[in-house]
Amino acid sequence: MTDPIAPSLDDFARLAQEAFDALPGPFKQAAGEVVIRIDDFADEATLAEMEIEDPFELTGLYHGVDIGRRDSLGPAAEPSRVFLYRRPILDEWCERGDVGIGELIAHVLIHEIGHHLGLTDDDIHAIEDDAD
């Protein structure tokens, strides 16, 4: 028996890219040039800004101006970014035990791209509920 090894940051990046590549064409096209970044955890400033004390509570984050507000604000100063946080995602994956790591990464990625498209958490949850 081999010991299971947690996916590395590079493994996560590969799985996130595979999830992005598998998105339906119109959704992927709407996401545009969003940058996907993998970190172990959100940085202290981000956690403080979001008033999150436990870094394991944040699995992903969209940072940027959503597409719906861009025209009124002019060009974005920075590229839109989706952060996926490896350790909290791994923690959730281990706790749940009912979903593959690739599927969980895809779920978090799609959720954050939803924010890039201007959807709220409530909008995203309603779409997910309709899909189930």
Side-chain angles (χ1 to χ4, degrees):
M1 177 177 193
T2 60
D3 291 329
I5 297 174
S8 68
L9 291 169
D10 289 340
D11 295 331
F12 260 65
R14 181 182 49 77
L15 290 167
Q17 188 62 52
E18 288 173 5
F20 185 82
D21 291 346
L23 293 173
F27 191 73
K28 187 169 30 176
Q29 191 171 21
E33 298 293 320
V34 68
V35 174
I36 301 168
R37 179 172 165 164
I38 313 298
D39 289 331
D40 272 327
F41 290 103
D43 61 38
E44 291 297 324
T46 299
L47 294 171
E49 180 180 325
M50 297 185 72
E51 299 179 355
I52 296 175
E53 291 183 22
D54 182 355
F56 281 95
E57 291 182 17
L58 187 60
T59 57
L61 180 68
Y62 170 70
H63 186 312
V65 177
D66 69 68
I67 289 174
R69 297 185 314 149
R70 282 206 182 146
D71 290 338
S72 65
L73 297 174
E78 296 181 8
S80 295
R81 292 175 284 170
V82 167
F83 291 86
L84 301 178
Y85 299 118
R86 186 179 79 96
R87 297 281 309 277
I89 291 172
L90 284 173
D91 199 56
E92 180 176 337
W93 174 59
C94 289
E95 285 179 9
R96 287 183 55 174
D98 65 346
V99 64
I101 189 66
E103 185 179 348
L104 188 55
I105 290 169
H107 172 79
V108 176
L109 176 69
I110 291 167
H111 183 96
E112 299 309 330
I113 289 174
H115 289 306
H116 172 63
L117 300 177
L119 301 174
T120 65
D121 281 334
D122 289 341
D123 295 333
I124 295 166
H125 292 302
I127 292 168
E128 291 171 338
D129 290 345
D130 287 345
D132 290 340

